[in-house]
Each structure stands twice: as structure tokens, then as C-alpha cells.
Amino acid sequence: MSTFLPHFPATFIVTGDPLIYGAEVSIVLATVGILFVLTYFKKWRWLWREWLTTVDHKKISVMYLIAALLMFFRGGVDAMLMRTQLIRPNMSFLQAEHYNQIFTTHGTIMILFMAMPFIFAMFNIAVPLQIGARDVAFPYLNAVSFWLFFFAALLFNLSFVVGGSPDAGWVSYPPLAGLEFDRGPGENFYLLSLQITGIGSIATGINFMATILKMRAPGMTLMRMPLFSWSVLASSILIIFAFPALTVALALLLIDRLAGAHFFTMFQGGNPMMYINLFWIWGHPEVYIVILPAFGIFSEVVSTFSGKRIFGYSSMVASLMTISVISYVLWVHHFFTMGAGPGVNSFFAVATMCVGIPTGVKVFNWLFTMYRGRIRLTVPMLWAIAFIPIFAIGGATGVMLAAAPADYQYHNSFFLIAHFHQVLIGGTVFGMLAGMYYWWPKMFGYMLNERLGRWAFWLFNSGFYVTFFPQYLLGLMGMTRRMYTYPANMGWNTLNFISTMGAYVMGIGFIVLVMDVVYSIRFGERDVTGDPWNGRTLEWSLPSPAPHYNFARIPTVTSRDAWWTSKQERSRSDAPRKLEPLQPIHMPKSSGRPFIMSAIFFIGGFGLVFNWYALGFLALLGVLVSMLLRSLEYDTDYYVPVEEIEQTEAALGRA
Amino acid sequence: MDKTTYRKRSRTRKLGITAGLSLLTTGCGERYLVFRPVGPVGQVEKDLIILSIILVLAVIIPVILLLWRIVWRYRDVPGNPAPYDPEWSESHVLEVIWWGIPIVIVGVLGAFTVRDTFLLTKPPERTAAPLTVQVTSLNWKWLFQYPDQKIATVNYCEIPTNRPIQFILSANGPMNSFWVPQLGGQEYAMPGMAMRLWLQADRSGVYYGHGANFTGRGFAHMAFNVIARPRAEFDGWVQQVRHSAPVLTRVGYQSLVQSSIVEPMTFSAYAPGIFESALLKEGGMYMKRDLTMLGRSHGH
């Protein structure tokens, strides 16, 4: 029965490295500081009522954004540490163990705990407002998704100081990630935290698909829907069909590790290749899950700041949907070198090249949206314009990698590293930063500072080229990824040095970005009109930030770019608009249960990490009880009375 | 076995393509191993890489020029005389063009890709009989066994020039990938699997090789050299090894399997069946068909 009792491994608290001691001290200090501030200013009740129990998509969006920026910082620090270790050959800045942990957490955090919450922040702030809805289809579930993500991220990051971080790469291939070669709890942290956040992601996918399909304002047919919402629909479909594969892969590997099964072990007929297939059946669609919303943002931003309709709307929709279908039949290109027959490799090679076709079409459509427009070079537009050359080159190297026999020479080399950073940073990160600057006034009611924003943009963008172009060359010189050190005689030294310098410049760019946020909280220009960019879609018809019910009256849509059209109609006629009388608004009630249930998930996950089954099963029971209580709850919604709506609207200056 | 053509096909293409891109590959020195192939496999791959670079440049360059031009011409400054047409958003002619161009490019690159993918599963065109080398990735070292010569090495591999080498890849440990850039592209070395990779060196030399798939703490030290020399010299080396080096016993093999980083080693003989038994122990049921295939390729 000893396994049912808490058993503390010798390395429960990670020790032995100055970096880790520093982190431990700063975590304790930060926690104490936060607790003190909340208590001193009597903010506990405010925190609980306004944030921890909220089901409002706009507040959930804010929380996703803050979490994404924090995780961007953590993943970015990992990147700086790695690049510092590689600045010269034979550096002893990091030991192999630390380097391995750091590239593992860098990849995992950047994809699952930075990119995913960042896109969800954008989903949440923009989709309901763009389609004229008062919230998402399932607001309570939306809160569950956020808190599952939040506690999963907490669990994952906890591994840094408790038990040790995972170190088998973000792909976590067995048998390296199996018990034979990895006894420590780090790998369990990886498996359980991804499992928990994965549940949240699937729920978000379902939620936004339902929202977009069922909750559009009257008159907003699918083909009148803003392209960002289209991209969210495509991304949600991908989430729903791809994440279950990850769930299965992680669950089977966890069963291998906890219960000694042999799905993916080397011995007893286990088959590690099956994990690799399952992982990438999720993993490839995953990169489109995080890139398609960025495409949507670029479509909005380019059209708004060119003062022009998006070019080739139908083709843009067709290419989004084509990409989401093709992306399911590409996964084998992550392992052309695993020895599948030439027929299989040929199929996946050509399919991979085919995804370049709709993507190329989108690039040309963005270009021709700007053509004969009036281009305002605001910060969101700068990110969108800079995206085009980076993504064109990143896409091109993607097509090069797709040629299977050529891939035999690029695979797992720095050429590959440069490629996927180019598409993921140039695509997703640039897209999310464009979206952040674009929708920031809608989220917070004030603008981010343009001047600091430009500095951040130029530093980050130029640092990007300096960091990643040398890595293409390093790959062609034979340097493979995940090497914590390299010999001095291969001719790799100069290029590695340059790459590290570029990474530092990107790091400075990120710091300036944070400075911009901090500066603007105090000094940012207030957005009193609700339409600071002369926008085209419905979110700009609302005050910034929007009232909690979004629309006092649900608008009726008669065309694409609904807000643009209605602004033009108003400028043409002076006749006073006829307003429908206000109706009471049906809204969901706040609930603390998503927070509590996710906290129980966290406790159970933590228990299973250390094989404390009693705690694990107790927590599972707690989760089931939470769900049961929710099912028995009937008082979940209320009506906002007309007087309250009138008062709110009047206070916002809208009659 | 169908021994077509590698060489002839790649030569016709080489004439047309490499001329234009010689700038990319020469003058940058000898360090770009992928662009310095010494055998037919690496050559086929290099040609395909160069073709793909040309094809994608045909898209990237116009895109970047167009972007630069459009942003400059239509920027929002007072008195900009360029036309402003906020409602213009459809053109079937233009859209047909940019659906069409990528389709043509993918068609061309796809055709060459498929051809070369099939080509590389066959031995390079040579009259010489292939030499088999069994490669095992161990934590964190490479074991090379020569079933025909009955000798073994660790962390280096000697091969004869101008003779196709049939590398049979496996692992007794985490999955790795066997990569010698100047000979040609890589393939995974996995526990419980034996996979074939054809390579060949046409010139004598010492070629850098490294594991390409992360295997844990000592992964960065999994470098090895492939030493290619003329047949006679290779045979002389084999004779010398047979007479001078120690034997790799089962116990010795078991100690190699343990995690460690070691210097290159040489063995005059090895306990029979270590490669096959490691395969079978680790779920080689997937490999029964392949094992018979491999059995046929050596041993006479």
C-alpha cells in the first residue's frame, strides 16, 4: 500500500543550481507580495467577484492575454538561456540536464501555454462582438476552459522548482520519455498538465464553433461574416478533431509510466512509432490551429488600415477551409525519415506542398487589399506588413522541407528550427501582437503607445532576421537541434554568435513591448469613441470597453463590413435613426465552480505526478461532484432590466 | 533488383540547374556539408534542394517586390496622387493567376520529389556488390557491425569508396537518427526496427556524422566519422583489425548498452547475433519480414 501514501522523492524541491535558487526565492517573494497587496488594499472580494468567478468573455479574454504574456516571458527566458549556452562552442553556462529541460519547457510553453492562450484571448475578445452576440454559446464552459488552462500552466511551471522539469523534448517521444530512460516526475508534469489544458482547449473549440454557427446577429449570413470569425471557425473545427488524438497519446503514455503498461515501450511488443503518429496527428493540425486565427487578424488589420474592402473574400474563405481540411493529411512529414515506404512519403510530401497553394493565395489577396488603398502604418499594420516577407520565406522553406528526399538532409537540423520559428513567430506571434495592439482599446478602453510600440516592433522584427537566418545556414552545415554543446572545428561558431545576438535584440524588443503596456496603463490615450481605428466590423460600433451585455440592441446586418456600411449610411442621411425599444437582456450568472473544479484538477494532477493515487482519485471524485452539482443547478441566469441598460448606456454616452 | 539510373537522371538536371545557383554553393567554403555531397545519394538530394530553391524564389521575390512597391505607393500621406478605390475587391483574372502559379510550381516540384523518393530506396547504380553495415544507436555511442567481415567498430565507420553501402539501422536505447550529411540524408535508428539506408562515397575522405534525434543527456556527444577509402585500403584495414583488435563479447556488448560516452573502439570479432537478438527482444515481431530480407543481403 505504500504507493497510496505520499512518498516524497529525494529531489522533491529542486536544488543545486543558482538559477533555480533564484527562481525559488523570486517565486516566494512574488507570492508573498501579491498576497500582501491583495490583503492590504482589501481586494480579495473584488478579485473573487470580478475575475475568478466571471463568465464574461471579455474578462476571460483579459485573463488569457495576461497569462499568455507571462508565459511568453517564461518561454522567452528559456530561449535566452539556450542561445547564451550556444553563443560559443564548449560553453559551460548550462549543464546538459539543464539545457535539455530548458528546450523542453521552451517548446511546450510557447505552443501550449503561450500561443494557445494568446489565440483564445483573441477569440474571446473579438468573436462575440464581431458577430453581434452577447456572449459565447456556453459562458460557463468558457470559464472552465480558462481555469483548466490556468491551473495546467501552473502545474507545468511548478515542475521548475518541485520535482524537476521534463527533459525529453516538447514532443516527448518514447522510449526516451518512457520509464526506461526517464524515471523522474518531470515527464509526468508534462503529460498531466497537457492533458488538463487539452480538455480546456477542446471545450473552447466546441464553444466557438457553436457560437459562430448559432449566435450570429440577424442578417449576418456566413458569407457576410468577418474573416477573423471565419478563421476562428476553421481553427475550432481543427481543435475539435485534432486534440482528441493528443489526449489519447498522452493518456497511453501516462498509463505506460504510471501503471507499467507497454503501449510505447521498447520491450514486450510496445510500439513507440505509434506515439509519434498520434502525437503528430494532433501536432500538425495544431500549427494550423495557432496560425489560422493569425491569418484572420491580418485580414482584419490589412483591410482596416488600407481603408478598403478585403480583396477576394470568397477565396479567403475557401483557402481557410481548404487549409483546415488538408492539414489533417500532412502529419507524416514530421517523420519522413521514419522509414515509411516511398508511396507513403510521396503522398505526404505532395500533400504538404499543396497546403502552400491556398496559403500563397491568401498572401496575394492581402497584397491586393493594400493595392489602391490608403495604408496607415499603425503598429498593428506594421506587424501585418512585416509578417508577409517572413511568412513568404518561411512558407517557401516549408515547401523545400516538404520534398521528402531533401528533408532527409534537413530533418532535425537547425534548418528545420529556423523554418518553424519563422512561420510560428512570423505568423502566430506577429499575428497575435497585431491583434493585441488592434483590439487593446476594445479590451481596456485606452490605446497602447505608438512610439514605444514602434520601437518594440523594429527591435523584435530585425532581431528575428538576425536570429534565424544564420540557423538555416547552420542546418546546411550539419548542426542538429537539441545539442547543448558543439565542437569548435565545424565552422559553426560565428553563425551561432550572430544568432545569439539576434535573440538578445528580440529579448530587448519584448521588454520594450512590456514597457509599452506598463506605460500605457498610466498614460495611454483614452478611447472615447469606441472606434479608434475607423474600423469596419461590429466590435467597433460598441463603446470601449463594451458593457457586460455587449449590445443593448442586437444589430441587424445587411452586408459584409457591417459597421463600415452603417457608418456610410449615416453619413449619407441626416434622418434620425429609429431605435427599437430596449428589451430585458438574458445573461449568465457568475460562478465560482469553474475555478474550484479546475483547482481540484490541479490537485489531482499534482498527486498523479508523484504517483500519490489516493490524492489523484480523491480529486477525480471532487471533479465528478463538481459536475454533478452543476447539473443540479437551475438558477444559472438572469435578466438585466431595461432601466439598468438605459443607465449603463447613458453613462457610456450612448442614448 | 532494379538498378536504374540515379546517376544519369541527376546529371541531366544538374546541367540546367546548378549553373544558376553556383553562387549559393561555392565560395561559401567547404563547411556547407549538405552542398558538398561526395556520393550519388547526397547528389540527388542536393539537386532536389537546388531545384526547390529556384522554384520558391520564383514566388518569394515577386511577393517581396510587390509588397515594397504597394506599401510605398499607397501609403496614407497627404496629397498622395495614387488612385484610391475602397470598394475594389474582386478580380477573377488575378485570382486565377495566383491560384494557378502555385499549382504549377507544386506540380513540378511534386513530380521530381516523387521520382527521387522512389529512387533513393534503391541501391545507387554501381556494378560493385553492396557492403552491409549494421548500425546500432546506444546511449550515447554508435556501434557499427560488419556482418560479412565479422568485425565491429564504435563511434567511427570505415567504408570502401565506389561501392553502395547498405546501412541497416537500429537502436538499443532511445530512438536516434543516423546522419552523414556529405554521403546523404538521414534515417531513424529505432529500437525493435531494422531499416535500410543506401549511401555511397565516391571520394576518399573523412566525413562528419552525428545522431540527429535527441536521445538524452549525452546526445550532443554522439558524433562519429565515416572514413571512406579505396577498396584495397579498406580490405587492408579489415585484415589489420582482424589480427590486432580485441573481441566484442556479450558482456562487452552489455556494458556498451549502458549509458556512457566513449572514445572510438575497434573489435576483431563480435558475439554472433547481438544485432538480431536486440531487435527481436524489443518487439521485433514487426520485423520478421524485413529480417529475412536483411538475411538474404549478406552472409555469403
Side-chain angles (χ1 to χ4, degrees):
Chain A
M1 290 298 286
S2 65
T3 52
F4 281 84
L5 296 171
H7 164 73
F8 290 89
T11 55
F12 188 72
I13 300 291
V14 181
T15 54
D17 187 87
L19 282 172
I20 300 206
Y21 288 130
E24 283 166 350
V25 169
S26 49
I27 287 170
V28 170
L29 286 178
T31 313
V32 170
I34 291 169
L35 294 181
F36 175 78
V37 167
L38 285 172
T39 311
Y40 186 81
F41 291 102
K42 301 195 171 62
K43 288 290 189 186
W44 283 104
R45 176 172 287 275
W46 166 82
L47 184 69
W48 178 257
R49 286 172 55 133
E50 295 293 318
W51 296 99
L52 303 189
T53 61
T54 187
V55 294
D56 181 342
H57 68 98
K58 298 177 287 298
K59 287 185 176 168
I60 289 175
S61 162
V62 170
M63 293 191 288
Y64 268 125
L65 182 64
I66 294 169
L69 289 174
L70 284 173
M71 289 294 101
F72 198 176
F73 174 74
R74 160 79 211 266
V77 170
D78 285 345
M80 295 302 124
L81 294 174
M82 281 190 282
R83 280 315 321 170
T84 304
Q85 168 68 13
L86 295 180
I87 195 169
R88 291 195 287 115
N90 303 314
M91 278 279 282
S92 52
F93 173 67
L94 297 171
Q95 301 305 306
E97 292 87 339
H98 296 136
Y99 188 84
N100 297 346
Q101 291 180 352
I102 287 169
F103 72 65
T104 302
T105 54
H106 169 77
T108 312
I109 284 177
M110 285 304 201
I111 294 287
L112 285 145
F113 299 119
M114 188 284 282
M116 292 300 281
F118 222 142
I119 68 166
F120 291 159
M122 299 298 138
F123 283 24
N124 270 288
I125 190 59
V127 170
L129 301 183
Q130 279 196 331
I131 64 172
R134 289 197 164 119
D135 206 317
V136 294
F138 311 111
Y140 175 91
L141 186 64
N142 200 20
V144 171
S145 290
F146 172 75
W147 289 110
L148 284 175
F149 149 75
F150 176 87
F151 281 106
L154 201 62
L155 185 63
F156 187 82
N157 281 279
L158 197 62
S159 69
F160 189 61
V161 288
V162 177
S165 300
D167 60 357
W170 86 279
V171 294
S172 183
Y173 284 174
L176 182 65
L179 275 184
E180 304 101 301
F181 297 103
D182 198 333
R183 310 248 7 132
E187 191 56 33
N188 294 351
F189 273 112
Y190 167 94
L191 292 169
L192 285 152
S193 59
L194 262 60
Q195 196 67 279
I196 293 170
T197 195
I199 300 170
S201 299
I202 294 175
T204 301
I206 294 169
N207 214 337
F208 278 86
M209 186 157 97
T211 305
I212 291 169
L213 292 181
K214 300 300 289 183
M215 295 183 64
R216 280 168 286 126
M220 182 172 280
T221 57
L222 281 174
M223 290 308 276
R224 285 178 185 165
M225 198 162 70
L227 278 172
F228 177 69
S229 293
W230 262 111
S231 73
V232 173
L233 180 62
S235 179
S236 298
I237 293 170
L238 283 171
I239 289 174
I240 293 167
F241 288 98
F243 264 78
L246 177 70
T247 304
V248 170
L250 297 173
L252 297 182
L253 186 54
L254 188 69
I255 292 169
D256 272 6
R257 289 183 59 88
L258 294 185
H262 290 281
F263 293 110
F264 307 130
T265 56
M266 273 167 53
F267 307 108
Q268 319 282 349
N271 187 350
M273 285 185 291
M274 205 45 77
Y275 174 90
I276 298 172
N277 272 285
L278 282 169
F279 184 87
W280 287 113
I281 285 172
W282 161 76
H284 198 78
E286 168 66 11
V287 301
Y288 292 94
I289 288 169
V290 297
I291 199 85
L292 292 182
F295 288 173
I297 290 171
F298 292 129
S299 297
E300 302 291 333
V301 166
V302 167
S303 167
T304 300
F305 295 107
S306 303
K308 188 158 164 283
R309 284 166 160 288
I310 193 81
F311 188 87
Y313 177 93
S314 316
S315 227
M316 291 299 242
V317 171
S319 57
L320 277 173
M321 294 326 257
T322 314
I323 292 170
S324 69
V325 172
I326 299 180
S327 71
Y328 285 107
V329 290
L330 306 181
W331 80 89
V332 168
H333 75 215
H334 293 269
F335 43 86
F336 279 142
T337 52
M338 204 162 78
V344 172
N345 277 359
S346 296
F347 172 84
F348 283 93
V350 174
T352 304
M353 293 171 192
C354 284
V355 91
I357 299 168
T359 315
V361 167
K362 295 188 82 69
V363 169
F364 283 108
N365 280 346
W366 286 314
L367 284 175
F368 277 75
T369 302
M370 291 189 264
Y371 180 76
R372 292 192 185 166
R374 274 293 171 274
I375 301 169
R376 285 179 283 156
L377 291 174
T378 58
V379 176
M381 189 61 173
L382 286 177
W383 288 108
I385 290 172
F387 148 83
I388 289 178
I390 289 192
F391 204 79
I393 298 167
T397 54
V399 170
M400 290 168 65
L401 278 151
D407 177 71
Y408 304 159
Q409 287 282 33
Y410 306 131
H411 185 69
N412 275 353
S413 76
F414 263 82
F415 190 92
L416 171 74
I417 304 303
H419 159 72
F420 74 69
H421 281 92
Q422 182 136 21
V423 285
L424 282 170
I425 294 179
T428 303
V429 175
F430 279 29
M432 293 307 121
L433 292 175
M436 186 179 94
Y437 272 86
Y438 183 60
W439 281 311
W440 189 277
K442 192 51 63 187
M443 293 172 91
F444 298 98
Y446 60 89
M447 318 278 286
L448 288 172
N449 183 275
E450 284 272 314
R451 194 181 155 81
L452 283 167
R454 277 166 204 279
W455 272 99
F457 164 78
W458 283 109
L459 286 164
F460 201 85
N461 186 48
S462 44
F464 175 86
Y465 285 92
V466 180
T467 309
F468 292 103
F469 276 76
Q471 295 188 7
Y472 281 117
L473 302 177
L474 283 167
L476 298 172
M477 290 175 150
M479 183 167 174
T480 50
R481 68 195 296 196
R482 294 176 177 155
M483 291 171 76
Y484 78 99
T485 187
Y486 54 92
N489 62 352
M490 296 298 296
W492 302 343
N493 308 0
T494 313
L495 289 171
N496 269 303
F497 180 82
I498 295 172
S499 180
T500 301
M501 291 302 123
Y504 292 159
V505 174
M506 290 176 82
I508 296 168
F510 180 77
I511 291 170
V512 176
L513 188 89
V514 173
M515 281 166 56
D516 192 359
V517 170
V518 173
Y519 175 88
S520 304
I521 288 174
R522 183 81 182 77
F523 301 106
E525 184 192 333
R526 302 293 121 175
D527 169 27
V528 288
T529 63
D531 186 14
W533 308 118
N534 196 10
R536 312 179 70 83
T537 43
L538 285 176
E539 71 269 34
W540 305 112
S541 69
L542 295 168
S544 296
H548 67 103
Y549 48 75
N550 296 352
F551 295 89
R553 297 174 185 82
I554 297 292
T556 301
V557 175
T558 54
S559 67
R560 277 175 212 157
D561 292 338
W563 174 236
W564 184 259
T565 312
S566 89
K567 280 194 284 192
Q568 290 197 315
E569 280 168 5
R570 277 183 217 182
S571 71
R572 273 190 226 111
S573 74
D574 296 333
R577 286 175 300 146
K578 270 192 293 181
L579 291 174
E580 300 284 318
L582 287 168
Q583 304 282 336
I585 295 175
H586 186 204
M587 292 298 288
K589 278 189 174 171
S590 295
S591 169
R593 201 169 287 113
F595 179 83
I596 293 168
M597 187 173 85
S598 305
I600 300 174
F601 258 105
F602 170 82
I603 293 167
F606 187 76
L608 287 182
V609 164
F610 292 98
N611 294 46
W612 301 342
Y613 294 113
L615 190 60
F617 288 122
L618 211 62
L620 189 62
L621 199 67
V623 168
L624 292 175
V625 169
S626 303
M627 289 182 181
L628 188 70
L629 288 174
R630 171 66 180 179
S631 324
L632 299 174
E633 191 175 47
Y634 295 101
D635 181 25
T636 57
D637 46 1
Y638 72 107
Y639 280 88
V640 185
V642 171
E643 303 80 64
E644 190 188 324
I645 304 170
E646 279 169 349
Q647 282 167 11
T648 314
E649 291 290 303
L652 291 166
R654 310 249 166 164
Chain B
M1 198 176 282
D2 177 26
K3 293 202 177 185
T4 35
T5 73
Y6 259 72
R7 199 56 71 112
K8 276 177 217 147
R9 285 188 184 173
S10 77
R11 211 172 272 146
T12 45
R13 200 164 76 216
K14 205 160 61 177
L15 283 174
I17 296 167
T18 38
L21 273 183
S22 52
L23 265 178
L24 255 178
T25 56
T26 56
C28 306
E30 298 290 312
R31 295 299 190 179
Y32 292 89
L33 304 181
V34 168
F35 287 132
R36 286 274 174 270
V38 295
V41 176
Q43 188 62 47
V44 167
E45 288 160 349
K46 177 189 157 189
D47 291 347
L48 186 63
I49 288 171
I50 288 173
L51 174 73
S52 69
I53 291 176
I54 293 171
L55 288 173
V56 298
L57 282 178
V59 175
I60 303 179
I61 292 175
V63 163
I64 292 175
L65 291 178
L66 257 178
L67 174 71
W68 189 80
R69 171 91 186 123
I70 288 174
V71 171
W72 183 253
R73 179 137 194 253
Y74 298 101
R75 71 200 186 286
D76 186 31
V77 288
N80 186 344
Y84 175 46
D85 198 352
E87 299 300 315
W88 182 70
S89 63
E90 298 286 339
S91 163
H92 289 295
V93 178
L94 287 173
E95 295 216 54
V96 166
I97 291 174
W98 54 69
W99 279 96
I101 292 171
I103 289 174
V104 171
I105 289 176
V106 166
V108 174
L109 186 58
F112 282 103
T113 297
V114 170
R115 193 198 72 181
D116 288 349
T117 305
F118 278 86
L119 193 64
L120 292 182
T121 59
K122 297 169 192 147
E125 181 203 19
R126 279 288 148 185
T127 44
L131 172 80
T132 298
V133 180
Q134 295 168 334
V135 183
T136 311
S137 166
L138 303 168
N139 263 358
W140 291 285
K141 57 197 83 75
W142 292 95
L143 173 65
F144 299 92
Q145 288 167 272
Y146 297 73
D148 295 335
Q149 286 72 23
K150 311 273 190 269
I151 59 171
T153 58
V154 170
N155 283 349
Y156 78 102
C157 175
E158 294 257 357
I159 57 168
T161 50
N162 294 311
R163 190 172 166 192
I165 313 294
Q166 175 181 232
F167 287 101
I168 307 292
L169 311 174
S170 188
N172 194 351
M175 180 178 112
N176 206 332
S177 191
F178 178 79
W179 189 27
V180 189
Q182 285 187 275
L183 295 187
Q186 63 195 285
E187 192 156 72
Y188 283 173
M190 296 187 284
M193 288 286 289
M195 297 202 306
R196 177 158 60 192
L197 175 65
W198 288 107
L199 293 174
Q200 179 175 317
D202 289 347
R203 287 208 299 276
S204 298
V206 177
Y207 305 116
Y208 170 83
H210 203 286
N213 194 73
F214 178 62
T215 55
R217 194 157 44 84
F219 167 71
H221 302 287
M222 291 197 73
F224 58 92
N225 281 331
V226 172
I227 300 151
R229 33 182 164 178
R231 175 118 198 207
E233 285 182 40
F234 173 78
D235 290 342
W237 171 77
V238 170
Q239 288 309 318
Q240 185 204 334
V241 167
R242 277 190 184 143
H243 291 108
S244 61
V247 174
L248 179 63
T249 60
R250 263 180 201 285
V251 177
Y253 175 71
Q254 283 312 319
S255 72
L256 277 182
V257 172
Q258 303 306 311
S259 295
S260 63
I261 295 163
V262 298
E263 293 299 307
M265 300 180 200
T266 311
F267 299 102
S268 62
Y270 55 82
I274 42 183
F275 186 80
E276 291 79 3
S277 67
L279 262 181
L280 288 172
K281 183 183 67 178
E282 293 155 10
M285 66 264 279
Y286 304 105
M287 295 305 306
K288 278 186 183 131
R289 181 182 58 85
D290 307 66
L291 274 182
T292 45
M293 169 193 87
L294 301 181
R296 223 188 304 131
S297 66
H298 62 80
H300 318 280

